[in-house]
Amino acid sequence: MDTYALHRGTAPLLVSLPHDGSVIPEALAARMTEVARAAPDTDWHVSRLYDFARELGASVLVPRYSRYVVDLNRPPDDTSLYPGQNTTGLCPTVRFTGEPVYLPGAEPDEAEVRDRVERYWRPYHDALAGELARLRLEHGRAVLWEGHSIRGDDLPFLFDGRLPDLNLGTGGGTSCLPALQQRLEAVLAAQHDFDWVANGRFKGGHITRHYGDPDRAVEAVQLETSQRCYMDEATFEYLPERAARLQPVLRRLLLAALAGPGAG
């Protein structure tokens, strides 16, 4: 199945965009509510937002299918990433609003969840792990950049109030070396267009935490971007003038990630 697209780059950087996909198979969509069929919880337009990454030599991995089919940023056993807090699961049955994804009685059973993991989840992770291994072998190191976005306002099911514009996650400092986090925070502190936080509500999902292994020269970082920074959150429309303000900051962050151990 054509479940993802992988562009292989020349730099020790892999940009993974696991929630960019929005396709829902027709048979599955028929079991969903009308709102859910539009895949509203997609990380809309992040592949467009990061389209400059190829110019930096980065590899880019993008899925085809919606997180409603299977969430690529959840562990295959569906262990909660944020114990005690509301979240959505491996095959989500509720939306970010807490409202149902499925019509009554149409939720997937355990066998269907396992099938979706094999059909959609595992190919993406095989590609991700393989590309990180290639980059590490070729360059002696690899940096995994997890690009995400979410509506930054009015999601009380997930967080109170307003989410900062840029939310850096390093698993609480475990998924990358301190020097990389310091370089990224310096970039964020030097700009004045967007507010930001490190390891706040979003500390990094399964991919960041699982693949980040600084002791083995693989560092991982997640950036959760509030969608108001580059699009209309109500209509899902991409707004080029807003994106044009954000992309230079994202570029500087990726360059800081590429700078390498010991760089200032």
Side-chain angles (χ1 to χ4, degrees):
M1 293 180 64
D2 181 18
T3 58
Y4 66 86
L6 173 61
H7 166 79
R8 290 187 171 91
T10 57
L13 175 64
L14 170 58
V15 176
S16 165
L17 307 173
H19 295 149
D20 182 79
S22 60
V23 173
I24 301 174
E26 287 186 19
L28 181 55
R31 295 161 49 192
M32 294 181 174
T33 66
E34 183 177 357
V35 174
R37 291 170 197 157
D41 297 333
T42 301
D43 291 13
W44 292 107
H45 311 296
V46 287
S47 57
R48 183 173 178 182
L49 191 64
Y50 280 95
D51 62 2
F52 65 88
R54 290 172 174 79
E55 301 170 12
L56 304 181
S59 297
V60 182
L61 181 61
V62 184
R64 180 182 179 197
Y65 289 92
S66 167
R67 71 191 303 155
Y68 287 170
V69 178
V70 70
D71 192 328
L72 300 169
N73 202 28
R74 298 291 184 270
D77 63 1
D78 206 13
T79 300
S80 176
L81 297 170
Y82 296 96
Q85 300 184 61
N86 287 335
T87 186
T88 55
L90 178 63
C91 292
T93 57
V94 295
R95 305 188 344 247
F96 287 170
T97 59
E99 297 169 293
V101 169
Y102 291 91
L103 298 170
E107 299 86 353
D109 60 18
E110 290 185 9
E112 182 179 353
V113 170
R114 289 195 299 270
D115 179 69
R116 291 194 209 173
V117 167
E118 294 305 314
R119 192 178 291 249
Y120 302 100
W121 188 96
R122 201 161 304 284
Y124 189 90
H125 283 263
D126 287 347
L128 195 158
E131 185 63 7
L132 285 177
R134 182 187 76 84
L135 296 176
R136 183 171 173 268
L137 181 64
E138 184 171 333
H139 301 280
R141 62 184 284 256
V143 178
L144 170 61
W145 187 272
E146 276 285 294
H148 293 261
S149 75
I150 190 172
R151 198 166 82 219
D153 300 281
D154 193 29
L155 279 179
F157 181 73
L158 295 181
F159 53 82
D160 295 329
R162 174 188 180 278
L163 192 70
D165 295 329
L166 302 174
N167 301 264
L168 189 69
T170 62
T174 63
S175 66
C176 71
L177 294 171
L180 174 53
Q181 182 162 333
Q182 289 164 11
R183 294 197 305 273
L184 297 174
E185 290 187 4
V187 170
L188 292 170
Q191 59 80 41
H192 304 290
D193 290 327
F194 305 98
D195 58 356
W196 62 279
V197 68
N199 292 309
R201 171 62 178 86
F202 296 102
K203 297 177 173 61
H206 171 70
I207 293 175
T208 301
R209 303 184 202 188
H210 178 74
Y211 292 97
D213 190 352
D215 291 339
R216 298 185 65 249
V218 178
E219 301 181 83
V221 174
Q222 175 178 295
L223 185 69
E224 187 82 63
T225 301
S226 291
Q227 291 176 340
R228 61 174 173 266
C229 297
Y230 68 93
M231 59 174 273
D232 185 316
E233 293 184 337
T235 65
F236 307 147
E237 180 186 0
Y238 187 81
L239 300 177
E241 68 281 2
R242 290 191 192 177
R245 292 176 60 240
L246 176 60
Q247 285 178 310
V249 178
L250 299 180
R251 178 184 287 269
R252 290 195 292 273
L253 287 168
L254 294 193
L255 288 173
L258 279 168

mmCIF file of all heavy atoms in Angstrom, residues 98-143:
data_model
loop_
_atom_site.group_PDB
_atom_site.id
_atom_site.type_symbol
_atom_site.label_atom_id
_atom_site.label_comp_id
_atom_site.label_asym_id
_atom_site.label_seq_id
_atom_site.Cartn_x
_atom_site.Cartn_y
_atom_site.Cartn_z
ATOM 1 N N GLY A 98 -13.123 16.134 22.393
ATOM 2 C CA GLY A 98 -13.743 15.149 23.267
ATOM 3 C C GLY A 98 -14.988 14.517 22.675
ATOM 4 O O GLY A 98 -15.554 13.589 23.255
ATOM 5 N N GLU A 99 -15.427 15.000 21.522
ATOM 6 C CA GLU A 99 -16.608 14.456 20.863
ATOM 7 C C GLU A 99 -16.245 13.197 20.073
ATOM 8 O O GLU A 99 -15.087 13.007 19.685
ATOM 9 C CB GLU A 99 -17.218 15.513 19.946
ATOM 10 C CG GLU A 99 -17.718 16.735 20.702
ATOM 11 C CD GLU A 99 -18.079 17.882 19.774
ATOM 12 O OE1 GLU A 99 -17.161 18.440 19.133
ATOM 13 O OE2 GLU A 99 -19.279 18.216 19.694
ATOM 14 N N PRO A 100 -17.216 12.318 19.798
ATOM 15 C CA PRO A 100 -16.900 11.025 19.190
ATOM 16 C C PRO A 100 -16.453 11.125 17.737
ATOM 17 O O PRO A 100 -16.920 11.976 16.982
ATOM 18 C CB PRO A 100 -18.217 10.247 19.306
ATOM 19 C CG PRO A 100 -19.276 11.288 19.400
ATOM 20 C CD PRO A 100 -18.652 12.439 20.145
ATOM 21 N N VAL A 101 -15.559 10.225 17.371
ATOM 22 C CA VAL A 101 -15.143 10.064 15.979
ATOM 23 C C VAL A 101 -16.144 9.175 15.238
ATOM 24 O O VAL A 101 -16.451 9.411 14.062
ATOM 25 C CB VAL A 101 -13.728 9.461 15.902
ATOM 26 C CG1 VAL A 101 -13.384 9.032 14.468
ATOM 27 C CG2 VAL A 101 -12.693 10.440 16.421
ATOM 28 N N TYR A 102 -16.684 8.168 15.924
ATOM 29 C CA TYR A 102 -17.499 7.137 15.268
ATOM 30 C C TYR A 102 -18.975 7.282 15.599
ATOM 31 O O TYR A 102 -19.357 7.805 16.652
ATOM 32 C CB TYR A 102 -17.023 5.745 15.696
ATOM 33 C CG TYR A 102 -15.659 5.400 15.161
ATOM 34 C CD1 TYR A 102 -14.520 5.692 15.898
ATOM 35 C CD2 TYR A 102 -15.508 4.817 13.905
ATOM 36 C CE1 TYR A 102 -13.257 5.403 15.405
ATOM 37 C CE2 TYR A 102 -14.252 4.524 13.402
ATOM 38 C CZ TYR A 102 -13.129 4.824 14.149
ATOM 39 O OH TYR A 102 -11.894 4.545 13.652
ATOM 40 N N LEU A 103 -19.784 6.783 14.706
ATOM 41 C CA LEU A 103 -21.202 6.616 14.988
ATOM 42 C C LEU A 103 -21.365 5.570 16.091
ATOM 43 O O LEU A 103 -20.492 4.711 16.275
ATOM 44 C CB LEU A 103 -21.934 6.173 13.720
ATOM 45 C CG LEU A 103 -21.876 7.163 12.537
ATOM 46 C CD1 LEU A 103 -22.426 6.509 11.272
ATOM 47 C CD2 LEU A 103 -22.636 8.430 12.871
ATOM 48 N N PRO A 104 -22.447 5.611 16.845
ATOM 49 C CA PRO A 104 -22.615 4.668 17.957
ATOM 50 C C PRO A 104 -22.490 3.209 17.512
ATOM 51 O O PRO A 104 -23.108 2.779 16.532
ATOM 52 C CB PRO A 104 -24.045 4.970 18.443
ATOM 53 C CG PRO A 104 -24.279 6.399 18.080
ATOM 54 C CD PRO A 104 -23.572 6.588 16.777
ATOM 55 N N GLY A 105 -21.629 2.471 18.230
ATOM 56 C CA GLY A 105 -21.431 1.062 17.947
ATOM 57 C C GLY A 105 -20.492 0.756 16.802
ATOM 58 O O GLY A 105 -20.252 -0.422 16.492
ATOM 59 N N ALA A 106 -19.904 1.776 16.171
ATOM 60 C CA ALA A 106 -19.053 1.563 14.988
ATOM 61 C C ALA A 106 -17.563 1.662 15.308
ATOM 62 O O ALA A 106 -16.732 1.645 14.400
ATOM 63 C CB ALA A 106 -19.418 2.564 13.900
ATOM 64 N N GLU A 107 -17.202 1.744 16.580
ATOM 65 C CA GLU A 107 -15.800 1.881 16.961
ATOM 66 C C GLU A 107 -15.024 0.609 16.612
ATOM 67 O O GLU A 107 -15.574 -0.491 16.568
ATOM 68 C CB GLU A 107 -15.689 2.150 18.471
ATOM 69 C CG GLU A 107 -16.371 3.412 18.939
ATOM 70 C CD GLU A 107 -17.847 3.210 19.258
ATOM 71 O OE1 GLU A 107 -18.374 2.097 18.979
ATOM 72 O OE2 GLU A 107 -18.481 4.155 19.765
ATOM 73 N N PRO A 108 -13.723 0.728 16.363
ATOM 74 C CA PRO A 108 -12.924 -0.461 16.028
ATOM 75 C C PRO A 108 -12.724 -1.363 17.237
ATOM 76 O O PRO A 108 -12.578 -0.881 18.365
ATOM 77 C CB PRO A 108 -11.590 0.140 15.557
ATOM 78 C CG PRO A 108 -11.505 1.456 16.273
ATOM 79 C CD PRO A 108 -12.915 1.968 16.349
ATOM 80 N N ASP A 109 -12.710 -2.678 16.997
ATOM 81 C CA ASP A 109 -12.391 -3.613 18.079
ATOM 82 C C ASP A 109 -10.888 -3.887 18.087
ATOM 83 O O ASP A 109 -10.133 -3.336 17.265
ATOM 84 C CB ASP A 109 -13.196 -4.904 17.943
ATOM 85 C CG ASP A 109 -12.948 -5.646 16.629
ATOM 86 O OD1 ASP A 109 -11.921 -5.365 15.952
ATOM 87 O OD2 ASP A 109 -13.773 -6.502 16.263
ATOM 88 N N GLU A 110 -10.438 -4.702 19.006
ATOM 89 C CA GLU A 110 -9.001 -4.950 19.166
ATOM 90 C C GLU A 110 -8.383 -5.554 17.916
ATOM 91 O O GLU A 110 -7.259 -5.211 17.537
ATOM 92 C CB GLU A 110 -8.761 -5.860 20.368
ATOM 93 C CG GLU A 110 -9.049 -5.201 21.713
ATOM 94 C CD GLU A 110 -8.687 -6.097 22.875
ATOM 95 O OE1 GLU A 110 -8.055 -7.154 22.639
ATOM 96 O OE2 GLU A 110 -9.032 -5.752 24.022
ATOM 97 N N ALA A 111 -9.089 -6.450 17.270
ATOM 98 C CA ALA A 111 -8.556 -7.088 16.052
ATOM 99 C C ALA A 111 -8.374 -6.063 14.941
ATOM 100 O O ALA A 111 -7.362 -6.086 14.217
ATOM 101 C CB ALA A 111 -9.478 -8.210 15.599
ATOM 102 N N GLU A 112 -9.319 -5.142 14.806
ATOM 103 C CA GLU A 112 -9.194 -4.110 13.774
ATOM 104 C C GLU A 112 -8.038 -3.173 14.084
ATOM 105 O O GLU A 112 -7.301 -2.760 13.175
ATOM 106 C CB GLU A 112 -10.491 -3.313 13.651
ATOM 107 C CG GLU A 112 -10.436 -2.252 12.552
ATOM 108 C CD GLU A 112 -11.724 -1.475 12.395
ATOM 109 O OE1 GLU A 112 -12.735 -1.827 13.037
ATOM 110 O OE2 GLU A 112 -11.722 -0.496 11.606
ATOM 111 N N VAL A 113 -7.860 -2.828 15.348
ATOM 112 C CA VAL A 113 -6.742 -1.966 15.732
ATOM 113 C C VAL A 113 -5.422 -2.637 15.373
ATOM 114 O O VAL A 113 -4.522 -2.014 14.799
ATOM 115 C CB VAL A 113 -6.801 -1.627 17.233
ATOM 116 C CG1 VAL A 113 -5.509 -0.927 17.677
ATOM 117 C CG2 VAL A 113 -8.010 -0.737 17.539
ATOM 118 N N ARG A 114 -5.296 -3.925 15.682
ATOM 119 C CA ARG A 114 -4.061 -4.652 15.350
ATOM 120 C C ARG A 114 -3.824 -4.656 13.846
ATOM 121 O O ARG A 114 -2.685 -4.514 13.375
ATOM 122 C CB ARG A 114 -4.126 -6.085 15.886
ATOM 123 C CG ARG A 114 -4.020 -6.189 17.402
ATOM 124 C CD ARG A 114 -3.727 -7.613 17.824
ATOM 125 N NE ARG A 114 -4.790 -8.538 17.415
ATOM 126 C CZ ARG A 114 -5.851 -8.845 18.151
ATOM 127 N NH1 ARG A 114 -5.996 -8.285 19.350
ATOM 128 N NH2 ARG A 114 -6.749 -9.685 17.709
ATOM 129 N N ASP A 115 -4.898 -4.832 13.070
ATOM 130 C CA ASP A 115 -4.770 -4.838 11.610
ATOM 131 C C ASP A 115 -4.306 -3.480 11.101
ATOM 132 O O ASP A 115 -3.447 -3.398 10.213
ATOM 133 C CB ASP A 115 -6.104 -5.206 10.972
ATOM 134 C CG ASP A 115 -6.025 -5.204 9.455
ATOM 135 O OD1 ASP A 115 -5.350 -6.079 8.886
ATOM 136 O OD2 ASP A 115 -6.625 -4.310 8.833
ATOM 137 N N ARG A 116 -4.840 -2.397 11.655
ATOM 138 C CA ARG A 116 -4.428 -1.060 11.225
ATOM 139 C C ARG A 116 -2.967 -0.802 11.579
ATOM 140 O O ARG A 116 -2.257 -0.130 10.817
ATOM 141 C CB ARG A 116 -5.320 0.001 11.861
ATOM 142 C CG ARG A 116 -6.744 0.008 11.355
ATOM 143 C CD ARG A 116 -7.435 1.287 11.780
ATOM 144 N NE ARG A 116 -8.858 1.118 11.960
ATOM 145 C CZ ARG A 116 -9.662 2.050 12.447
ATOM 146 N NH1 ARG A 116 -9.154 3.210 12.830
ATOM 147 N NH2 ARG A 116 -10.956 1.835 12.587
ATOM 148 N N VAL A 117 -2.522 -1.307 12.730
ATOM 149 C CA VAL A 117 -1.118 -1.147 13.096
ATOM 150 C C VAL A 117 -0.225 -1.789 12.038
ATOM 151 O O VAL A 117 0.766 -1.194 11.587
ATOM 152 C CB VAL A 117 -0.840 -1.753 14.489
ATOM 153 C CG1 VAL A 117 0.660 -1.872 14.745
ATOM 154 C CG2 VAL A 117 -1.485 -0.897 15.577
ATOM 155 N N GLU A 118 -0.562 -2.997 11.625
ATOM 156 C CA GLU A 118 0.254 -3.693 10.633
ATOM 157 C C GLU A 118 0.155 -3.046 9.260
ATOM 158 O O GLU A 118 1.146 -2.965 8.523
ATOM 159 C CB GLU A 118 -0.165 -5.165 10.555
ATOM 160 C CG GLU A 118 0.127 -5.952 11.806
ATOM 161 C CD GLU A 118 1.589 -5.863 12.228
ATOM 162 O OE1 GLU A 118 2.473 -6.016 11.346
ATOM 163 O OE2 GLU A 118 1.859 -5.645 13.426
ATOM 164 N N ARG A 119 -1.023 -2.557 8.913
ATOM 165 C CA ARG A 119 -1.276 -2.054 7.576
ATOM 166 C C ARG A 119 -0.763 -0.629 7.367
ATOM 167 O O ARG A 119 -0.272 -0.291 6.282
ATOM 168 C CB ARG A 119 -2.781 -2.110 7.297
ATOM 169 C CG ARG A 119 -3.198 -1.882 5.868
ATOM 170 C CD ARG A 119 -4.705 -2.006 5.750
ATOM 171 N NE ARG A 119 -5.142 -3.369 5.954
ATOM 172 C CZ ARG A 119 -5.641 -4.132 4.989
ATOM 173 N NH1 ARG A 119 -5.750 -3.658 3.766
ATOM 174 N NH2 ARG A 119 -6.034 -5.363 5.233
ATOM 175 N N TYR A 120 -0.859 0.220 8.402
ATOM 176 C CA TYR A 120 -0.549 1.641 8.247
ATOM 177 C C TYR A 120 0.585 2.127 9.167
ATOM 178 O O TYR A 120 1.418 2.902 8.739
ATOM 179 C CB TYR A 120 -1.795 2.494 8.550
ATOM 180 C CG TYR A 120 -2.984 2.178 7.695
ATOM 181 C CD1 TYR A 120 -4.018 1.369 8.172
ATOM 182 C CD2 TYR A 120 -3.100 2.694 6.395
ATOM 183 C CE1 TYR A 120 -5.127 1.083 7.392
ATOM 184 C CE2 TYR A 120 -4.207 2.421 5.609
ATOM 185 C CZ TYR A 120 -5.215 1.600 6.114
ATOM 186 O OH TYR A 120 -6.305 1.325 5.331
ATOM 187 N N TRP A 121 0.583 1.678 10.408
ATOM 188 C CA TRP A 121 1.548 2.173 11.397
ATOM 189 C C TRP A 121 2.941 1.621 11.138
ATOM 190 O O TRP A 121 3.916 2.368 11.085
ATOM 191 C CB TRP A 121 1.061 1.793 12.802
ATOM 192 C CG TRP A 121 1.816 2.361 13.968
ATOM 193 C CD1 TRP A 121 1.513 3.476 14.698
ATOM 194 C CD2 TRP A 121 2.996 1.814 14.578
ATOM 195 N NE1 TRP A 121 2.417 3.660 15.719
ATOM 196 C CE2 TRP A 121 3.352 2.651 15.664
ATOM 197 C CE3 TRP A 121 3.793 0.699 14.311
ATOM 198 C CZ2 TRP A 121 4.458 2.414 16.479
ATOM 199 C CZ3 TRP A 121 4.914 0.459 15.120
ATOM 200 C CH2 TRP A 121 5.227 1.313 16.179
ATOM 201 N N ARG A 122 3.019 0.307 10.980
ATOM 202 C CA ARG A 122 4.340 -0.323 10.892
ATOM 203 C C ARG A 122 5.138 0.101 9.664
ATOM 204 O O ARG A 122 6.345 0.342 9.775
ATOM 205 C CB ARG A 122 4.217 -1.838 10.971
ATOM 206 C CG ARG A 122 5.517 -2.499 11.403
ATOM 207 C CD ARG A 122 5.319 -3.898 11.926
ATOM 208 N NE ARG A 122 4.395 -4.012 13.025
ATOM 209 C CZ ARG A 122 4.676 -3.661 14.287
ATOM 210 N NH1 ARG A 122 5.865 -3.170 14.578
ATOM 211 N NH2 ARG A 122 3.776 -3.803 15.237
ATOM 212 N N PRO A 123 4.537 0.244 8.477
ATOM 213 C CA PRO A 123 5.335 0.694 7.333
ATOM 214 C C PRO A 123 5.982 2.065 7.555
ATOM 215 O O PRO A 123 7.129 2.284 7.153
ATOM 216 C CB PRO A 123 4.322 0.727 6.183
ATOM 217 C CG PRO A 123 3.293 -0.284 6.562
ATOM 218 C CD PRO A 123 3.177 -0.176 8.045
ATOM 219 N N TYR A 124 5.254 2.979 8.188
ATOM 220 C CA TYR A 124 5.824 4.307 8.460
ATOM 221 C C TYR A 124 7.017 4.186 9.403
ATOM 222 O O TYR A 124 8.079 4.789 9.177
ATOM 223 C CB TYR A 124 4.752 5.214 9.066
ATOM 224 C CG TYR A 124 5.157 6.669 9.183
ATOM 225 C CD1 TYR A 124 4.906 7.551 8.148
ATOM 226 C CD2 TYR A 124 5.782 7.155 10.327
ATOM 227 C CE1 TYR A 124 5.265 8.897 8.239
ATOM 228 C CE2 TYR A 124 6.150 8.493 10.435
ATOM 229 C CZ TYR A 124 5.886 9.355 9.392
ATOM 230 O OH TYR A 124 6.250 10.690 9.493
ATOM 231 N N HIS A 125 6.869 3.394 10.440
ATOM 232 C CA HIS A 125 7.950 3.267 11.408
ATOM 233 C C HIS A 125 9.135 2.480 10.853
ATOM 234 O O HIS A 125 10.288 2.778 11.198
ATOM 235 C CB HIS A 125 7.420 2.659 12.708
ATOM 236 C CG HIS A 125 6.660 3.655 13.532
ATOM 237 N ND1 HIS A 125 7.243 4.346 14.577
ATOM 238 C CD2 HIS A 125 5.399 4.118 13.434
ATOM 239 C CE1 HIS A 125 6.360 5.176 15.100
ATOM 240 N NE2 HIS A 125 5.231 5.066 14.421
ATOM 241 N N ASP A 126 8.867 1.522 10.006
ATOM 242 C CA ASP A 126 9.978 0.827 9.346
ATOM 243 C C ASP A 126 10.769 1.806 8.487
ATOM 244 O O ASP A 126 12.011 1.780 8.471
ATOM 245 C CB ASP A 126 9.452 -0.325 8.492
ATOM 246 C CG ASP A 126 8.971 -1.509 9.315
ATOM 247 O OD1 ASP A 126 9.259 -1.558 10.531
ATOM 248 O OD2 ASP A 126 8.295 -2.382 8.736
ATOM 249 N N ALA A 127 10.056 2.675 7.753
ATOM 250 C CA ALA A 127 10.728 3.666 6.916
ATOM 251 C C ALA A 127 11.502 4.666 7.768
ATOM 252 O O ALA A 127 12.638 5.041 7.439
ATOM 253 C CB ALA A 127 9.710 4.391 6.040
ATOM 254 N N LEU A 128 10.898 5.101 8.875
ATOM 255 C CA LEU A 128 11.544 6.071 9.761
ATOM 256 C C LEU A 128 12.823 5.485 10.359
ATOM 257 O O LEU A 128 13.893 6.107 10.316
ATOM 258 C CB LEU A 128 10.563 6.471 10.860
ATOM 259 C CG LEU A 128 10.860 7.705 11.706
ATOM 260 C CD1 LEU A 128 9.574 8.239 12.336
ATOM 261 C CD2 LEU A 128 11.869 7.415 12.794
ATOM 262 N N ALA A 129 12.720 4.279 10.912
ATOM 263 C CA ALA A 129 13.889 3.644 11.515
ATOM 264 C C ALA A 129 14.968 3.383 10.478
ATOM 265 O O ALA A 129 16.170 3.571 10.738
ATOM 266 C CB ALA A 129 13.477 2.335 12.196
ATOM 267 N N GLY A 130 14.574 2.962 9.284
ATOM 268 C CA GLY A 130 15.546 2.689 8.239
ATOM 269 C C GLY A 130 16.274 3.932 7.787
ATOM 270 O O GLY A 130 17.492 3.900 7.549
ATOM 271 N N GLU A 131 15.540 5.040 7.666
ATOM 272 C CA GLU A 131 16.182 6.277 7.226
ATOM 273 C C GLU A 131 17.115 6.826 8.302
ATOM 274 O O GLU A 131 18.210 7.314 7.992
ATOM 275 C CB GLU A 131 15.126 7.310 6.842
ATOM 276 C CG GLU A 131 15.678 8.600 6.250
ATOM 277 C CD GLU A 131 16.425 8.410 4.942
ATOM 278 O OE1 GLU A 131 16.416 7.285 4.391
ATOM 279 O OE2 GLU A 131 17.011 9.397 4.439
ATOM 280 N N LEU A 132 16.726 6.741 9.566
ATOM 281 C CA LEU A 132 17.628 7.169 10.637
ATOM 282 C C LEU A 132 18.906 6.326 10.640
ATOM 283 O O LEU A 132 19.999 6.860 10.830
ATOM 284 C CB LEU A 132 16.926 7.053 11.996
ATOM 285 C CG LEU A 132 15.880 8.118 12.323
ATOM 286 C CD1 LEU A 132 15.229 7.800 13.667
ATOM 287 C CD2 LEU A 132 16.489 9.519 12.350
ATOM 288 N N ALA A 133 18.755 5.028 10.422
ATOM 289 C CA ALA A 133 19.934 4.159 10.375
ATOM 290 C C ALA A 133 20.845 4.532 9.215
ATOM 291 O O ALA A 133 22.078 4.554 9.345
ATOM 292 C CB ALA A 133 19.498 2.700 10.274
ATOM 293 N N ARG A 134 20.249 4.841 8.055
ATOM 294 C CA ARG A 134 21.052 5.250 6.897
ATOM 295 C C ARG A 134 21.814 6.533 7.180
ATOM 296 O O ARG A 134 23.018 6.638 6.890
ATOM 297 C CB ARG A 134 20.157 5.437 5.669
ATOM 298 C CG ARG A 134 20.912 5.826 4.395
ATOM 299 C CD ARG A 134 19.982 6.155 3.253
ATOM 300 N NE ARG A 134 19.362 7.468 3.387
ATOM 301 C CZ ARG A 134 19.937 8.613 3.003
ATOM 302 N NH1 ARG A 134 21.174 8.615 2.491
ATOM 303 N NH2 ARG A 134 19.293 9.758 3.128
ATOM 304 N N LEU A 135 21.128 7.522 7.751
ATOM 305 C CA LEU A 135 21.776 8.803 8.035
ATOM 306 C C LEU A 135 22.883 8.640 9.070
ATOM 307 O O LEU A 135 23.962 9.233 8.937
ATOM 308 C CB LEU A 135 20.736 9.818 8.520
ATOM 309 C CG LEU A 135 19.663 10.208 7.503
ATOM 310 C CD1 LEU A 135 18.644 11.150 8.141
ATOM 311 C CD2 LEU A 135 20.270 10.849 6.264
ATOM 312 N N ARG A 136 22.623 7.865 10.084
ATOM 313 C CA ARG A 136 23.640 7.664 11.124
ATOM 314 C C ARG A 136 24.861 6.945 10.561
ATOM 315 O O ARG A 136 26.004 7.289 10.885
ATOM 316 C CB ARG A 136 23.037 6.867 12.275
ATOM 317 C CG ARG A 136 23.975 6.644 13.456
ATOM 318 C CD ARG A 136 23.209 6.032 14.615
ATOM 319 N NE ARG A 136 24.099 5.658 15.694
ATOM 320 C CZ ARG A 136 24.659 4.456 15.825
ATOM 321 N NH1 ARG A 136 24.414 3.517 14.915
ATOM 322 N NH2 ARG A 136 25.454 4.191 16.841
ATOM 323 N N LEU A 137 24.640 5.970 9.694
ATOM 324 C CA LEU A 137 25.753 5.247 9.081
ATOM 325 C C LEU A 137 26.558 6.176 8.179
ATOM 326 O O LEU A 137 27.798 6.141 8.168
ATOM 327 C CB LEU A 137 25.220 4.059 8.280
ATOM 328 C CG LEU A 137 26.262 3.181 7.586
ATOM 329 C CD1 LEU A 137 27.163 2.507 8.611
ATOM 330 C CD2 LEU A 137 25.574 2.139 6.708
ATOM 331 N N GLU A 138 25.868 7.036 7.438
ATOM 332 C CA GLU A 138 26.540 7.906 6.474
ATOM 333 C C GLU A 138 27.232 9.088 7.143
ATOM 334 O O GLU A 138 28.318 9.503 6.718
ATOM 335 C CB GLU A 138 25.522 8.416 5.452
ATOM 336 C CG GLU A 138 26.129 9.267 4.345
ATOM 337 C CD GLU A 138 25.136 9.566 3.243
ATOM 338 O OE1 GLU A 138 24.203 8.771 3.037
ATOM 339 O OE2 GLU A 138 25.299 10.614 2.580
ATOM 340 N N HIS A 139 26.616 9.641 8.189
ATOM 341 C CA HIS A 139 27.125 10.886 8.789
ATOM 342 C C HIS A 139 27.687 10.716 10.197
ATOM 343 O O HIS A 139 28.268 11.667 10.732
ATOM 344 C CB HIS A 139 26.010 11.930 8.838
ATOM 345 C CG HIS A 139 25.442 12.279 7.497
ATOM 346 N ND1 HIS A 139 26.064 13.152 6.628
ATOM 347 C CD2 HIS A 139 24.295 11.864 6.868
ATOM 348 C CE1 HIS A 139 25.330 13.275 5.529
ATOM 349 N NE2 HIS A 139 24.266 12.504 5.650
ATOM 350 N N GLY A 140 27.474 9.557 10.784
ATOM 351 C CA GLY A 140 27.924 9.366 12.159
ATOM 352 C C GLY A 140 26.957 9.922 13.190
ATOM 353 O O GLY A 140 27.172 9.775 14.392
ATOM 354 N N ARG A 141 25.884 10.525 12.735
ATOM 355 C CA ARG A 141 24.857 11.080 13.617
ATOM 356 C C ARG A 141 23.589 11.290 12.806
ATOM 357 O O ARG A 141 23.623 11.316 11.562
ATOM 358 C CB ARG A 141 25.287 12.428 14.214
ATOM 359 C CG ARG A 141 25.515 13.514 13.168
ATOM 360 C CD ARG A 141 26.040 14.814 13.770
ATOM 361 N NE ARG A 141 25.001 15.580 14.453
ATOM 362 C CZ ARG A 141 24.436 16.675 13.943
ATOM 363 N NH1 ARG A 141 24.791 17.128 12.747
ATOM 364 N NH2 ARG A 141 23.520 17.327 14.604
ATOM 365 N N ALA A 142 22.471 11.438 13.498
ATOM 366 C CA ALA A 142 21.205 11.759 12.849
ATOM 367 C C ALA A 142 20.369 12.579 13.808
ATOM 368 O O ALA A 142 20.380 12.357 15.021
ATOM 369 C CB ALA A 142 20.455 10.487 12.451
ATOM 370 N N VAL A 143 19.651 13.548 13.245
ATOM 371 C CA VAL A 143 18.693 14.343 14.008
ATOM 372 C C VAL A 143 17.312 14.106 13.415
ATOM 373 O O VAL A 143 17.114 14.236 12.201
ATOM 374 C CB VAL A 143 19.039 15.845 13.980
ATOM 375 C CG1 VAL A 143 17.975 16.643 14.755
ATOM 376 C CG2 VAL A 143 20.420 16.097 14.563
#
